[in-house]
Amino acid sequence: MNLSTTVTKYVRKGMVFGIWLFVWQVGYWIVGKSALVPSPLSTLLTLGQMACEKAFYMHLGATFWRVVVGMTLSFGGAILLVLPSYKYQWVKVLFEPMIAFMKSTPIMAIIILALLWFESDWVPIFVCILMCYPIIYTNLLTGLGTLDHELKELNQVYHVKKALVIRKCYWPQLYPYVAASLQLGIGMAWKVVIAAEVLAIPKYAIGEALMNAKVYIETREVFAWVVVIILISQICEHAMV
């Protein structure tokens, strides 16, 4: 990608961002009540004030830690199950109901159950695992299903080292599915972790900060936190590529 293409890409993104920022401003003008829809400028100023407080980083760090733990356990668990599921059909069939249960169960039901079973700090992590696990598992299993078996047989005939086969043959085929599973998973993780935090109310959490802002009708803080969530989520998704 040359310089002009890169510049054009970012200019285009900047224009799109500017359009939606203007739409937000128009919404503020139409509603006419900052208690319902604050202006972009007031939200930015509020975000600046929040960023000067220690509590802001405590909330952000705690939620980020829960997302990382939830995603790590989801990905690790998915790998442990996807390999035998790919190799043995009966393993895949055995665990299909569990995956279907995770996919179809409403998030609120899972949060309510988690509140009965765990301390508030672990509720978001448990919910994150149950919501992200099937996404990662399904993508990885699909990726393994697309592997070229003829290439595998060819490598066996010529006695190519397994490590080289994995690095040069399998990984390029699997990478798009691994990246997709991580991108979808991390986006889902941020949403479900914060949703669980709103109900579980652990000591430090973005969800707790959102709930406090809502209780005290601090709409600008709510919008500021939403902006932070979107930015952090987008950064994490792009980092997964």
Side-chain angles (χ1 to χ4, degrees):
M1 187 181 290
N2 57 40
L3 182 60
S4 61
T5 306
T6 305
V7 171
T8 304
K9 176 185 173 183
Y10 283 106
V11 168
R12 208 173 277 165
K13 284 187 176 182
M15 289 174 65
V16 172
F17 177 76
I19 289 169
W20 284 108
L21 202 62
F22 180 70
V23 170
W24 179 1
Q25 181 66 41
V26 170
Y28 165 71
W29 286 333
I30 292 172
V31 174
K33 293 181 180 178
S34 60
L36 296 177
V37 180
S39 69
L41 179 59
S42 64
T43 301
L44 183 62
L45 291 173
T46 301
L47 179 56
Q49 292 171 356
M50 289 165 52
C52 294
E53 299 172 1
K54 181 182 177 181
F56 173 81
Y57 300 98
M58 297 291 285
H59 291 310
L60 186 59
T63 298
F64 184 77
W65 176 80
R66 294 184 186 102
V67 169
V68 170
V69 172
M71 275 296 295
T72 301
L73 293 175
S74 297
F75 191 77
I79 290 175
L80 289 176
L81 181 58
V82 81
L83 293 175
S85 295
Y86 170 69
K87 192 171 183 180
Y88 305 106
Q89 182 66 21
W90 67 269
V91 176
K92 179 184 175 183
V93 172
L94 179 65
F95 285 97
E96 273 179 356
M98 182 189 77
I99 301 300
F101 167 78
M102 291 181 180
K103 286 181 178 178
S104 57
T105 306
I107 182 175
M108 291 307 297
I110 292 175
I111 294 173
I112 290 168
L113 287 173
L115 286 168
L116 297 173
W117 295 339
F118 303 101
E119 294 181 0
S120 60
D121 281 339
W122 289 97
V123 169
I125 295 173
F126 176 77
V127 174
C128 178
I129 293 170
L130 257 65
M131 290 289 101
C132 296
Y133 188 94
I135 295 174
I136 298 170
Y137 171 85
T138 303
N139 273 277
L140 293 180
L141 191 60
T142 303
L144 286 172
T146 63
L147 292 178
D148 190 342
H149 293 285
E150 291 182 1
L151 193 61
K152 178 183 177 182
E153 292 172 3
L154 189 65
N155 288 320
Q156 288 175 342
V157 169
Y158 287 97
H159 303 290
V160 182
K161 289 183 180 179
K162 220 171 226 184
L164 188 62
V165 173
I166 293 171
R167 194 172 77 250
K168 295 294 184 179
C169 298
Y170 294 161
W171 179 243
Q173 295 178 67
L174 285 174
Y175 175 75
Y177 295 92
V178 174
S181 68
L182 289 174
Q183 281 188 311
L184 292 170
I186 199 72
M188 175 65 74
W190 277 98
K191 285 186 268 190
V192 299
V193 164
I194 292 170
E197 287 176 345
V198 168
L199 293 182
I201 315 179
K203 187 174 181 182
Y204 292 107
I206 291 176
E208 183 210 6
L210 280 170
M211 179 56 73
N212 289 336
K214 177 258 181 187
V215 168
Y216 294 106
I217 319 179
E218 293 288 347
T219 313
R220 287 178 298 177
E221 281 193 24
V222 173
F223 271 68
W225 274 117
V226 170
V227 170
V228 171
I229 294 165
I230 292 171
L231 287 175
I232 297 297
S233 179
Q234 287 297 305
I235 290 170
C236 290
E237 283 188 35
H238 286 295
M240 293 295 107
V241 180

